[in-house]
Amino acid sequence: MIKWITKLFSSTQKEENTDNMKPEVHEHPKNNIKSVSKKYLIVGLGNIGAEYVNTRHNIGFKVLDFLAKKESLSFETVKLGALAEYKFKGRTFFLLKPNTYMNLSGKAVKYWMDKENIPLENILVITDDLNLSFGTIRIKPKGSDGGHNGLKNINLVLNTQEYTRFRFGISDQFKKGQQVDYVLGDWDEEEKAKLPERLEISSEIIKSFGTAGLENTMTTFNGK
């Protein structure tokens, strides 16, 4: 009897020890897919409405429209914006033009980031920049809003400044008190002539961001 109890106890202890040796399985949160995600959210900032189509402030929309036309993509009206899906080298790029107007851009970014389960480091926001000369490109992994209302709202909604932004220079060639008119004004003739080449480079930046990575993209395109 004693031998039988000893054997039973030994067997139970062995099973417990075996259970303790099993690898732990952790449930990962919804967005904990950073190292494997091949989905990217490319957000072009701008304002909806025909009166804004060719304005400097809408360069984000213009870059996405250029890429969509080049790749024969169509934008669909979706919640909080217009969206086109672009597949390239095993990656999926969601091209988003928020319809919330510039000052509420963060709402659309957050919604589609969550809906498509896209990690923060796979987000690229395209915006105009008064502090850069026309067509100058500056890609940064993080930073302040620089006085830009679209970035300001995205920072507020996401509660972080650590997402990649692609700043497209529109220069600051306006007189005192005329900034709003300048930003919401059309490109001049010289700028219009140079835009196609700048937009071509911009479309390559989007593809590079998803395939070559941020660091390589910054090295290749910053200052071009």
Side-chain angles (χ1 to χ4, degrees), residues 46-55 58 61 65 97-102 184 186:
N47 287 308
I48 58 172
E51 67 271 33
Y52 297 113
V53 170
N54 291 312
T55 62
N58 267 41
F61 280 15
D65 285 338
K97 297 189 295 182
N99 65 6
T100 56
Y101 287 100
M102 191 70 79
L184 295 180
D186 290 354

Side-chain angles (χ1 to χ4, degrees), residues 13-27:
Q13 190 175 46
K14 196 174 290 183
E15 286 180 12
E16 287 177 353
N17 289 340
T18 303
D19 286 342
N20 290 336
M21 291 172 64
K22 291 178 181 177
E24 292 183 81
V25 178
H26 298 282
E27 291 295 328

Side-chain angles (χ1 to χ4, degrees), residues 37-200:
S37 179
K38 291 187 178 181
K39 296 200 294 188
Y40 297 81
L41 181 61
I42 313 299
V43 184
L45 296 187
N47 287 308
I48 58 172
E51 67 271 33
Y52 297 113
V53 170
N54 291 312
T55 62
R56 295 180 177 90
H57 212 30
N58 267 41
I59 188 61
F61 280 15
K62 203 165 190 69
V63 169
L64 297 190
D65 285 338
F66 182 89
L67 177 58
K69 184 176 180 180
K70 181 180 177 182
E71 301 295 338
S72 301
L73 307 174
S74 297
F75 280 95
E76 293 184 16
T77 300
V78 294
K79 185 172 180 177
L80 301 176
L83 193 73
E85 191 172 325
Y86 173 47
K87 293 187 181 294
F88 178 71
K89 291 189 176 180
R91 276 73 168 175
T92 300
F93 298 83
F94 293 94
L95 312 181
L96 175 67
K97 297 189 295 182
N99 65 6
T100 56
Y101 287 100
M102 191 70 79
N103 294 2
L104 295 174
S105 299
K107 188 176 180 180
V109 174
K110 182 71 166 62
Y111 176 81
W112 285 99
M113 176 183 171
D114 289 346
K115 180 174 175 58
E116 293 299 334
N117 211 16
I118 298 173
L120 191 63
E121 66 269 26
N122 284 14
I123 295 175
L124 176 68
V125 177
I126 307 168
T127 180
D128 57 302
D129 195 318
L130 285 166
N131 299 312
L132 299 174
S133 59
F134 169 77
T136 298
I137 288 165
R138 187 79 73 247
I139 304 156
K140 297 180 68 177
K142 60 182 178 179
S144 68
D145 57 64
H148 193 286
N149 288 331
L151 294 178
K152 189 177 296 184
N153 188 251
I154 294 172
N155 291 353
L156 178 66
V157 174
L158 297 186
N159 194 31
T160 182
Q161 298 180 359
E162 297 195 6
Y163 57 88
T164 305
R165 64 281 315 273
F166 163 13
R167 297 178 182 268
F168 187 106
I170 62 171
S171 79
D172 58 356
Q173 301 304 304
F174 55 86
K175 294 179 181 179
K176 188 175 181 180
Q178 295 184 349
Q179 178 175 325
V180 174
D181 290 338
Y182 176 79
V183 169
L184 295 180
D186 290 354
W187 306 96
D188 63 31
E189 293 306 314
E190 185 178 351
E191 290 169 338
K192 286 178 183 177
K194 294 178 179 178
L195 262 178
E197 183 256 352
R198 296 284 89 191
L199 292 173
E200 181 68 46

